[in-house]
Amino acid sequence: MKIIDVNTWNRKQHYEHFSALTDPYFGLVIPFNVTKAYYFSKEKGISFFGKYLHACMRAINEVENFKYRIENGNVVEHDVIHASSTIMREDKTIAFSFIDYNENLGTFLDNLEAEKERIKNSNDLFPPKNGLNCIHCSAMPWLNFTGHKEPVSGEIESVPKIAFSKISEVDNELMINVAINVNHALIDGYHVGLFSEKFQQYLNQ
């Protein structure tokens, strides 16, 4: 992790303007083609959620601005961003996970399964390991949403929030809508566009 010197940062004015707003967040809903990812998962007998979450995290970790966070009044850049996903138990309660990112899909899936098992055998809402070096994400496979709003604490937050919709079939292709909410002081539409391109690229692999 490194601290960004805001005074010499090329985003200084941008950061100061948007971080001063009561609501500095912006959100988008973007459709992604998951046809190849879905059938890859079925062929390999692996979690489809794990496959597309891994593709998402690969993209997140390759766009610098998605690694920025506001911590203790400073802008910092984390080396690696992990996944903090909501996971549902059999009794329909949810808990937050912390899934260590690994570029290797198999290792990442093992980390995901370990968190599922921990949550299954726990009543805790929060994971024992936590931090801002993550994204907050959730899957809503019951809903094909086209709009989405995330809850906020009232404090200025800098962790991106992502939600995945159910699969829908469009012209013989499988699609999911992905809602993404970010702090505009750190991330612009350009950076969301970079993430979107990389995410689709990794979904196709």
Side-chain angles (χ1 to χ4, degrees):
M1 183 179 73
K2 69 177 181 181
I3 296 177
I4 305 296
D5 184 351
V6 173
N7 292 319
T8 60
W9 199 22
N10 63 351
R11 293 179 59 84
K12 180 177 185 290
Q13 290 184 330
H14 186 104
Y15 170 77
E16 289 177 342
H17 171 74
F18 285 103
S19 61
L21 297 178
T22 303
D23 182 0
Y25 315 108
F26 79 92
L28 299 166
V29 178
I30 307 169
F32 289 90
N33 189 320
V34 295
T35 306
K36 291 183 179 179
Y38 179 82
Y39 287 111
F40 175 88
S41 301
K42 293 299 181 184
E43 177 185 344
K44 301 295 184 181
I46 63 174
S47 163
F48 172 54
F49 170 67
K51 165 63 177 172
Y52 73 67
L53 180 59
H54 182 256
C56 175
M57 296 311 302
R58 285 185 72 183
I60 289 286
N61 274 281
E62 290 185 13
V63 181
E64 183 178 301
N65 288 61
F66 276 85
K67 301 167 94 170
Y68 292 153
R69 299 292 183 269
I70 301 171
E71 300 186 29
N72 300 317
N74 296 311
V75 177
V76 303
E77 180 185 350
H78 286 277
D79 299 322
V80 180
I81 301 299
H82 308 282
S84 177
S85 172
T86 54
I87 293 177
M88 181 176 284
R89 301 185 178 96
E90 290 183 2
D91 65 0
K92 307 308 179 191
T93 61
I94 65 167
F96 299 106
S97 67
F98 195 93
I99 306 159
D100 285 306
Y101 172 69
N102 192 288
E103 190 173 338
N104 179 272
L105 174 60
T107 303
F108 181 79
L109 292 176
D110 288 344
N111 295 341
L112 170 59
E113 289 306 312
E115 273 296 84
K116 286 182 177 179
E117 191 66 19
R118 179 191 64 79
I119 288 169
K120 177 183 176 182
N121 294 291
S122 167
N123 293 318
D124 297 333
L125 178 60
F126 297 103
K129 180 180 181 179
N130 214 336
L132 299 184
N133 58 334
C134 67
I135 61 164
H136 296 155
C137 54
S138 57
M140 292 187 278
W142 320 278
L143 301 168
N144 184 22
F145 57 77
T146 56
H148 182 266
K149 180 187 178 299
E150 290 282 355
V152 293
S153 66
E155 299 180 1
I156 299 300
E157 300 175 8
S158 55
V159 176
K161 297 177 173 61
I162 296 178
F164 307 97
S165 79
K166 70 180 289 186
I167 297 174
S168 60
E169 187 171 339
V170 180
D171 297 329
N172 297 317
E173 299 288 330
L174 301 178
M175 307 293 294
I176 61 170
N177 289 332
V178 178
I180 179 165
N181 286 265
V182 296
N183 188 319
H184 206 351
L186 304 176
I187 298 173
D188 299 331
Y190 170 74
H191 307 109
V192 176
L194 288 178
F195 158 77
S196 175
E197 291 175 4
K198 291 177 180 292
F199 187 17
Q200 187 63 68
Q201 173 188 342
Y202 293 132
L203 286 169
N204 291 343
Q205 291 182 356

